[in-house]
Amino acid sequence: MPDTLPLPVARTIADLRETVSGWKRQGFTVGFVPTMGALHDGHLSLVREAKRRADKVVTSVFVNPTQFAPTEDLDAYPRQEGRDAELLAGAGCDLMYAPAVAEMYPGGVTTTISVGGPAEGLEGAFRPQMFGGVALVVSKLLHQVQPDLAVFGEKDWQQLMVVRRMVRDLDMPVEIVGLPTARDGHGLALSSRNAYLSEAELEIARKLNGVLAEAGIRARDGSVVAAEQWAEGALKAAGFDSVDYVAIRRADDLSVFDGAMDAPARILAAAKIGRTRLIDNMAV
């Protein structure tokens, strides 16, 4: 049976399925929130939304190695299970699923998922291993939990589009819900990696959403390309060390506009301050 911290914790697929199948026998609906832990208010808003929509909520806490490149911060990624469990209990979660890597990938990784469409370009260009790893772990988690719905944050907009497309293409019987990005009082998107920022870097980071908002206005009034170029320059002038991309794309599939915007759009950006890489996006 699941062991307990401040709430029940399942370590194995068998224990997870035993709990979830018991709920379903009682007629309960099940919501699911996948996370890599180091939880903040943005994650907890997803849990609360899942609880609003479903009778029971499972939250996974698993730092997924298949979406990290060898040069990225897998080992340094913050892990704080006890605190995560306390936060989840307060947000209304009913079960934390915290499998070991060996439980998720017994014998290593031999099956992969190739993703295209919304996975191409942007994060897919700068982190080419990421979306294949995300698709694999999300697919596994959805099969393991078998929820009625799963809630994702819109901060990782491209990831949300990739997951929606995968679920549609593979005919998975689950509703994918996107929740608007949770932000601090200055408009900075909440992220576990914000903990890496110094006070001076945090002041710079809080300029990101303002630049994106202004670029969106410029794109509506004129050229998409000119607005992207202005935003890149504005971020560097604000103190960001480098800008991986600023892109205005069609919101639903992230395809490139041919000229002026003629459909709902999203502006997406990735920029670095020191050792911290921030991403953000918003509707245009």
Side-chain angles (χ1 to χ4, degrees), residues 138-140 142-143 166-175:
V138 171
S139 175
K140 288 174 68 68
L142 291 177
H143 283 299
M166 177 190 72
V167 165
R168 188 184 79 183
D169 287 352
L170 299 182
D171 302 312
M172 295 181 178
V174 58
E175 177 188 1

Side-chain angles (χ1 to χ4, degrees), residues 137-154:
V137 76
V138 171
S139 175
K140 288 174 68 68
L141 288 167
L142 291 177
H143 283 299
Q144 290 166 2
V145 180
Q146 298 183 0
D148 298 284
L149 61 93
V151 184
F152 292 78
E154 291 184 353

Side-chain angles (χ1 to χ4, degrees), residues 117-142:
E120 296 172 352
L122 307 176
E123 289 298 289
F126 282 88
R127 302 180 64 198
Q129 81 296 330
M130 178 184 172
F131 288 126
V134 167
L136 178 60
V137 76
V138 171
S139 175
K140 288 174 68 68
L141 288 167
L142 291 177

